[in-house]
Amino acid sequence: MTKPRHPHTPPKPKTFGRNALAFGAAAIGLGGALLAVFLRSKGNPAEHAAPDLALDKPRPGADDRAPEAFRPDPTAVPTKAERESLRPATGPAPSLVADRGTLNS
């Protein structure tokens, strides 16, 4: 004998993939937030305090001068390395197309 026919029942929704993606996105967001808080709490030891930009001080105007540590010496002679770093870049411009007769290696 044959089995009686049942009306078609819809399949159960497959939500494992959606749940996994949502959990992964939440974990990445939480990790990014924790990283931002962790990196913000540490100060850069190479930075100097700028007392003229402190929150309790009035904003500097056009006639105010920077602290002595922040003023460049206009009479200083640049070193050879500084002069080389400021030299303009010269030479052929990079291109996606090679000249005729050249072989790309």
Side-chain angles (χ1 to χ4, degrees):
M1 323 272 191
T2 61
K3 290 183 178 180
R5 288 185 135 187
H6 294 289
H8 179 68
T9 57
K12 293 182 180 178
K14 297 179 181 179
T15 59
F16 177 74
R18 289 183 192 166
N19 289 342
L21 286 174
F23 179 73
I28 289 172
L30 182 62
L34 288 174
L35 184 65
V37 168
F38 177 70
L39 292 179
R40 182 181 290 187
S41 64
K42 287 188 174 185
N44 188 351
E47 293 179 356
H48 300 281
D52 57 335
L53 298 178
L55 295 176
D56 58 342
K57 301 280 184 169
R59 299 298 295 172
D63 297 331
D64 296 329
R65 294 198 61 188
E68 186 69 34
F70 292 95
R71 295 184 206 159
D73 184 10
T75 62
V77 178
T79 65
K80 189 173 184 178
E82 290 172 337
R83 193 176 300 116
E84 181 66 23
S85 69
L86 294 173
R87 187 174 61 89
T90 58
S95 174
L96 296 175
V97 180
D99 294 335
R100 285 185 176 226
T102 60
L103 178 67
N104 291 340
S105 48

